[in-house]
Amino acid sequence: MAENPFFAPSTLPYKLPPFAEIKEEHYLPAFEHGMAEQLREVDTIVADPAAPTFANTVEALERSGQVLKRTAIVFFSLASSHATDAIREIETEVAPRLTKHGDAIHLNRALYARLKRVVTDDPEEAWLLEKYRVDFVRAGAELSEAEQERLRELNEELSTLGTAFSQNLLAATTASALVTEDAKELDGLSETALRAIEKDGKYVLPLLNFTNQPALAELTDRETRRRLYELSTGRAPENFGIAAKMAALRAERAVLLGYPNHAAYSVADQTAKTTDAVEEMLGKLVGPAVANARREAEALSEQAGFPIEPWDWSFYAEKVRKARYDFDSSELRPYFELDRVLRDGVFHAAGELYGLRFAERDDLRGYHPDVRVFEVSDADGSELGLFVFDPYARPTKRGGAWMNNLVDQSHLFGELPVVMNNLNITKPAEGPTLLTFDEVNTAFHEFGHALHGLFSDVRFPRVSGTEVPRDFVEYPSQVNEMWATWPSILANFARHHETGEPVPAELVEKMQAAEKFNQGFATVEYLAATLLDWAWHKLAPGETVEDAEAFEAAALERAGIAFELVLPRYRTNYFAHVFAGGVGGYSAGYYSYIWSEVLDADSVEWFKENGGLVRANGDHFRSALLSVGGAKDAMEAFRAFRGRDPRIEPLLERRGLA
């Protein structure tokens, strides 16, 4: 193990992890070595006879644990993106050990005592010092010995349960795929789509990690739609019990830490600050959204000629959209070829707005043959970082789309960022990869996160890039979605994959006219998931749930969001955002998307008022907000960009709820 690639910094450009050298047997020794090394470093900090200073305490903590960080960042990237059986086994073993390790640092009384004695006049240092103090308090540093011991037990059990939830979901999402030997049952899917899912004489339609599967909009066979919908909503039933147990444990932990419930604990260090603030915002949306969805349902049933069921919604929504707006979303697909969307859309927009340039580095390898690496240069030609792109779905990848860092920017270590986007696009058996508009929008969204990481210009890793409050982190990525339909950007990438002809203007006009259609469904689906998350995490300590499905139904009814035709975007059993292992960081935080969208809609209005896609606007957004990461208060950064507090009216108008 002397050759373990995690033991020393990568020698590749930008310190890109040396994936070609990394083997699965390297992970456990690297984790063990990294944890032991960091605990020794902490002991050295605590034993320092000199008076505590920022340099010998806070900065020393920032410098600690480098082997562990290098190992964890690669391992958990693969646990989401390419989780082999061996990776899953290692995750099961290492997750609770990492939780214990974190507790060993945050519950170290001598270390916390040093932190409390540090004083600095430097604003950037003072901000980081306060973040560390808050981290330690929220982790239990001020609890008694007995309370800390119980906290350790809770954390370890939650870690184990979260890993089990995640692995159950990954296995069930694959096992619950719709399988048929009869292509007639899949009528409505394109020939290209059928070829992509044909395996050994059978057609295997995999599930994506949300309730309403994209194929529901295309499948003409109603029975097939029902089967697909029920496979989606019924997957991983064992996760209901795990989620209920996790919610109860989180409630106990929250009270131990001085909060009435987990929701209150979760929002205390976010921009929302209080549960009342979240509930006030959600309360403004529920009534109009449900009323809107019910009107849409009436139109769909009229189109169908019978009362629709949930699995009919997407299919007849497309028919109503076509009848009302003469728009069929499938007509757009031939104009959205993946590489063109990436290079002539996503990258082109970043070039126009920020002056960025992208060059593919075929000499740099990812962890899978589908992974691509691009070098990013700033407007002045200087190096900015690397962008790693993993577009395709596979059985070893979790559902959804996400961004993460492989290297955090920081001046402390002189490191430039290496950021990564994961999508879940079905890879065609042959020919070009053609996207839906939703997939195009997702590509722009995730690249907004990537820009947040790439533009980071901070001193310390703890506040680098997207290390901002959870209910703020989605905001820059949502803003970046606006460029997907910006006329000059759309004209640049939306070209027919065979003829090169631009997308017809009338088709774009129809798409834009139809944008607010089905917003009732989209908003109710999202709000139902948000309020379900909220209900689980407002459980009082000692309150247990025996029947998680009954709890789910009652919670939606109580919140006024229950609508039999629109289930939550994520039901409890596949709500990975809030219950799955290391990615369950959105517990009592799924509201963040709509909270961030308030900022996003208001910011889009600012861009449009100030000339749209021009460098001056991009430079202002970058300098005032994107580059500061978490090195200053998030809402202060917003006000520095927007010039005032956000308004909710642009969001209500966007979603047809005004």
Side-chain angles (χ1 to χ4, degrees):
M1 298 311 296
E3 300 303 316
N4 193 308
F6 292 113
F7 286 3
S10 170
T11 58
L12 292 176
Y14 301 89
K15 297 186 181 178
L16 176 73
F19 291 109
E21 300 173 19
I22 296 170
K23 296 180 173 60
E24 288 169 342
E25 58 264 30
H26 289 137
Y27 288 114
L28 269 178
F31 272 122
E32 290 167 350
H33 177 84
M35 287 187 282
E37 178 185 73
Q38 188 172 31
L39 290 179
R40 287 194 297 272
E41 291 166 338
V42 167
D43 287 343
T44 299
I45 295 169
V46 170
D48 190 341
T53 65
F54 185 89
N56 69 20
T57 303
V58 181
E59 187 174 313
L61 278 173
E62 283 286 273
R63 292 183 181 279
S64 72
Q66 290 305 298
V67 171
L68 179 59
K69 182 176 181 179
R70 285 194 294 271
T71 308
I73 206 165
V74 171
F75 177 81
F76 287 106
S77 292
L78 266 67
S80 296
S81 305
H82 194 39
T84 62
D85 289 343
I87 291 288
R88 287 195 287 271
E89 289 174 11
I90 295 167
E91 185 182 22
T92 300
E93 179 176 348
V94 82
R97 294 171 67 179
L98 286 171
T99 299
K100 281 184 178 180
H101 175 74
D103 285 343
I105 294 172
H106 287 112
L107 302 182
N108 185 316
R109 295 186 182 280
L111 180 60
Y112 180 55
R114 281 188 72 90
L115 276 173
K116 289 195 293 183
R117 292 170 59 197
V118 173
V119 176
T120 177
D121 294 327
D122 180 278
E124 191 174 3
E125 293 180 354
W127 177 258
L128 182 64
L129 173 61
E130 183 58 23
K131 276 195 167 295
Y132 264 97
R133 286 172 174 161
V134 169
D135 287 347
F136 272 69
V137 171
R138 287 174 57 80
E142 295 187 341
L143 299 181
S144 69
E145 291 287 352
E147 290 169 332
Q148 286 190 353
E149 184 55 37
R150 178 55 183 155
L151 182 65
R152 287 187 175 94
E153 294 170 356
L154 291 170
N155 287 342
E156 185 175 354
E157 189 170 0
L158 281 165
S159 177
T160 300
L161 290 169
T163 300
F165 186 103
S166 181
Q167 295 192 357
N168 288 345
L169 179 55
L170 180 63
T173 297
T174 301
S176 298
L178 188 148
V179 181
T180 180
E181 296 180 1
D182 187 356
K184 292 179 182 177
E185 294 182 1
L186 301 175
D187 180 61
L189 298 186
S190 69
E191 285 298 320
T192 301
L194 285 172
R195 285 197 301 271
I197 63 173
E198 187 178 8
K199 293 178 176 64
D200 302 323
K202 296 180 180 179
Y203 297 94
V204 181
L205 187 58
L207 298 181
L208 299 182
N209 197 38
F210 35 73
T211 295
N212 280 281
Q213 302 298 304
L216 291 170
E218 301 171 320
L219 292 166
T220 62
D221 188 297
R222 196 176 184 213
E223 175 61 16
T224 303
R225 293 201 303 269
R226 182 194 64 77
R227 285 172 55 207
L228 178 61
Y229 186 85
E230 291 181 350
L231 284 167
S232 177
T233 58
R235 70 186 108 163
E238 63 273 30
N239 276 353
F240 280 114
I242 292 175
K245 179 66 171 173
M246 290 179 74
L249 293 174
R250 285 170 174 167
E252 182 183 348
R253 184 177 63 179
V255 172
L256 193 62
L257 292 167
Y259 297 87
N261 50 55
H262 182 73
Y265 169 80
S266 182
V267 303
D269 66 340
Q270 303 299 301
T271 65
K273 303 298 183 190
T274 68
T275 56
D276 288 346
V278 174
E279 290 166 3
E280 180 184 358
M281 186 267 291
L282 295 176
K284 293 176 181 177
L285 302 174
V286 169
V290 172
N292 201 355
R294 290 190 182 279
R295 286 193 296 270
E296 291 169 359
E298 290 172 6
L300 301 188
S301 292
E302 184 178 338
Q303 175 71 34
F306 55 82
I308 64 165
E309 296 288 351
W311 46 86
D312 298 317
W313 189 295
S314 296
F315 184 76
Y316 286 102
E318 283 304 307
K319 289 191 173 296
V320 170
R321 196 192 311 269
K322 186 163 187 176
R324 189 176 293 181
Y325 302 100
D326 191 26
F327 174 65
D328 181 349
S329 61
S330 66
E331 294 178 53
L332 285 170
R333 199 162 190 155
Y335 297 92
F336 297 150
E337 190 274 321
L338 174 61
D339 199 58
R340 189 149 210 161
V341 169
L342 181 66
R343 293 180 181 275
D344 297 341
V346 174
F347 290 172
H348 178 66
E352 293 294 295
L353 193 61
Y354 304 109
L356 302 188
R357 295 294 177 265
F358 301 83
E360 189 155 10
R361 292 288 302 265
D362 294 325
D363 58 316
L364 298 178
R365 282 186 53 181
Y367 48 82
H368 187 277
D370 290 337
V371 175
R372 302 166 66 183
V373 180
F374 297 85
E375 186 169 23
V376 188
S377 302
D378 217 334
D380 62 2
S382 62
E383 297 175 341
L384 190 63
L386 290 181
F387 173 64
V388 180
F389 186 54
D390 183 357
Y392 293 119
R394 51 182 167 266
T396 55
K397 182 190 279 191
R398 70 175 173 88
W402 64 96
M403 170 267 187
N404 57 282
N405 282 10
L406 292 172
V407 178
D408 293 324
Q409 178 276 328
S410 77
H411 298 305
L412 182 68
F413 290 107
E415 292 179 343
L416 294 173
V418 177
V419 303
M420 182 168 140
N421 277 176
N422 269 272
L423 307 181
N424 259 288
I425 298 163
T426 300
K427 188 175 184 179
E430 57 186 25
T433 302
L434 303 180
L435 310 186
T436 65
F437 179 70
D438 281 348
E439 289 169 333
V440 171
N441 205 55
T442 298
F444 276 85
H445 175 98
E446 295 304 330
F447 195 72
H449 287 305
L451 288 170
H452 205 174
L454 286 166
F455 285 149
S456 180
D457 187 16
V458 300
R459 184 175 161 194
F460 301 108
R462 170 65 178 81
V463 292
S464 180
T466 55
E467 288 292 331
V468 296
R470 185 186 51 230
D471 57 9
F472 191 83
V473 74
E474 296 298 333
Y475 153 53
S477 56
Q478 289 170 334
V479 170
N480 204 59
E481 294 175 24
M482 72 179 290
W483 309 118
T485 52
W486 196 259
S488 64
I489 301 300
L490 189 65
N492 201 60
F493 76 82
R495 293 182 172 271
H496 198 283
H497 71 99
E498 292 177 336
T499 68
E501 290 295 312
V503 63
E506 60 270 22
L507 188 56
V508 175
E509 290 167 5
K510 290 174 185 178
M511 179 185 75
Q512 292 174 331
E515 273 185 343
K516 287 182 183 175
F517 176 72
N518 218 35
Q519 276 298 317
F521 171 89
T523 308
V524 167
E525 183 190 49
Y526 166 77
L527 289 174
T530 297
L531 290 160
L532 177 60
D533 167 35
W534 203 245
W536 278 117
H537 294 110
K538 287 202 79 177
L539 287 177
E543 188 178 356
T544 58
V545 174
E546 298 300 327
D547 186 337
E549 291 190 78
F551 174 87
E552 181 176 285
L556 297 175
E557 191 71 42
R558 194 165 55 247
I561 199 70
F563 184 22
E564 66 278 6
L565 296 180
V566 186
L567 284 187
R569 181 169 174 81
Y570 303 99
R571 292 190 68 201
T572 301
N573 45 320
Y574 47 94
F575 208 160
H577 284 75
V578 301
F579 293 117
V583 296
Y586 274 72
S587 58
Y590 196 63
Y591 78 89
S592 299
Y593 288 90
I594 201 88
W595 186 273
S596 292
E597 197 179 346
V598 173
L599 310 181
D600 152 40
D602 201 11
S603 298
V604 167
E605 189 174 81
W606 178 90
F607 272 100
K608 291 178 177 178
E609 290 170 352
N610 288 276
L613 189 75
V614 295
R615 279 290 307 279
N617 288 347
D619 290 346
H620 176 53
F621 192 46
R622 174 179 178 173
S623 62
L625 195 142
L626 295 178
S627 67
V628 302
K632 67 185 293 186
D633 179 80
M635 292 310 295
E636 280 185 24
F638 176 85
R639 285 186 285 271
F641 162 68
R642 190 65 175 96
R644 58 164 171 75
D645 286 333
R647 297 167 57 246
I648 197 173
E649 286 77 13
L651 170 67
L652 298 178
E653 177 63 29
R654 172 191 286 184
R655 286 187 171 256
L657 303 178

